Amino acid sequence: MENDDIRLTELIRKGDKPSFDRVFLKYFKNLHAYAMKFAGEKDMAEEIIQNVFCRIWEKRGQLKADGYLRAFLYRSVHNECVNYIRHRKVRSSFQVYYAGKPELNESNLAEELGASELERRLYAAINELPEECASVFQMSRFEQLRYGEIAAELNIPLKAVEYQMGKALKILRIKLADFLPLLLIYLNKIL
């Protein structure tokens, strides 16, 4: 099984669409069931799986499953589910906050649109981070785990967690430079 996954990963990396389709069909049902545990909605679980596979195909040249394709896919779905839950939580908080406000004036509307654009750009930037870097960032900032807890969960040294977190923050600062003041306000609200 592991050799088959290694071969399929190599073929996908080279752009072999039938191999990609084979992996999709092979793992879809189980990944969908896994995503359902998080999303709770059939359509949303399907969308999560589609997002994962679209991202894999788009970045196929960088695909590194190291012979553990199944584990890689489950981790990718897990990360996508965490992003979905976080996004849903932020939206819910936003709706509760604005439910009591009967009207939005121009400055509130501009602030709302800026926050919405920031949220979109933030999640896009997080999704572009290298996998381990993104995992460390998400676990630290969104799951509020300490570095030691992250190191234990990912089975990596504490120094690696510190390095990955520093790398994530540096990349995000560059990608979100236009939104830095708004980003600080936004992260304080969700934490």
Side-chain angles (χ1 to χ4, degrees):
M1 183 78 104
E2 190 176 303
N3 287 336
D4 189 41
D5 283 352
I6 292 171
R7 187 178 60 76
L8 286 170
T9 302
E10 273 303 311
L11 289 170
I12 292 169
R13 193 178 298 141
K14 293 177 182 176
D16 185 58
K17 185 78 167 84
S19 295
F20 176 78
D21 293 341
R22 182 173 165 205
V23 168
F24 180 83
L25 293 172
K26 179 179 178 181
Y27 289 105
F28 178 81
K29 186 177 179 181
N30 291 333
L31 291 173
H32 185 267
Y34 181 65
M36 278 289 292
K37 292 177 185 176
F38 291 95
E41 302 169 18
K42 181 183 176 202
D43 292 340
M44 190 48 63
E46 287 177 10
E47 186 175 328
I48 287 168
I49 303 304
Q50 288 175 355
N51 288 345
V52 167
F53 276 95
C54 284
R55 195 169 304 110
I56 288 171
W57 184 251
E58 288 169 0
K59 297 182 177 185
R60 63 188 171 271
Q62 303 166 6
L63 183 60
K64 292 180 183 167
D66 298 325
Y68 300 100
L69 183 59
R70 182 177 181 273
F72 172 80
L73 291 170
Y74 273 89
R75 177 46 103 180
S76 297
V77 169
H78 172 79
N79 290 343
E80 189 72 22
C81 287
V82 168
N83 286 342
Y84 165 72
I85 290 167
R86 189 175 318 111
H87 180 73
R88 187 170 60 185
K89 185 177 174 182
V90 169
R91 267 200 195 286
S92 176
S93 297
F94 181 80
Q95 288 170 345
V96 167
Y97 178 75
Y98 280 104
K101 300 195 183 253
E103 60 184 72
L104 292 172
N105 60 32
E106 263 184 52
S107 65
N108 287 347
L109 185 59
E111 184 179 310
E112 180 183 336
L113 291 174
S116 176
E117 177 64 13
L118 167 64
E119 183 181 335
R120 187 187 67 71
R121 295 258 312 263
L122 175 62
Y123 287 117
I126 291 171
N127 286 332
E128 290 176 12
L129 291 173
E131 184 180 352
E132 189 172 54
C133 195
S135 294
V136 167
F137 180 81
Q138 290 170 354
M139 293 170 86
S140 172
R141 292 301 192 250
F142 298 116
E143 296 175 31
Q144 298 179 341
L145 297 178
R146 292 187 174 98
Y147 286 5
E149 294 170 323
I150 296 169
E153 188 168 325
L154 295 178
N155 197 24
I156 60 175
L158 183 61
K159 287 289 185 191
V161 173
E162 292 170 357
Y163 171 78
Q164 292 296 340
M165 192 61 186
K167 181 177 173 182
L169 291 172
K170 182 179 179 182
I171 292 170
L172 292 175
R173 260 194 307 272
I174 292 168
K175 289 186 177 281
L176 302 170
D178 298 342
F179 289 92
L180 203 51
L182 191 56
L183 179 63
L184 294 173
I185 295 167
Y186 174 78
L187 286 176
N188 284 332
K189 285 183 181 179
I190 64 171
L191 298 177

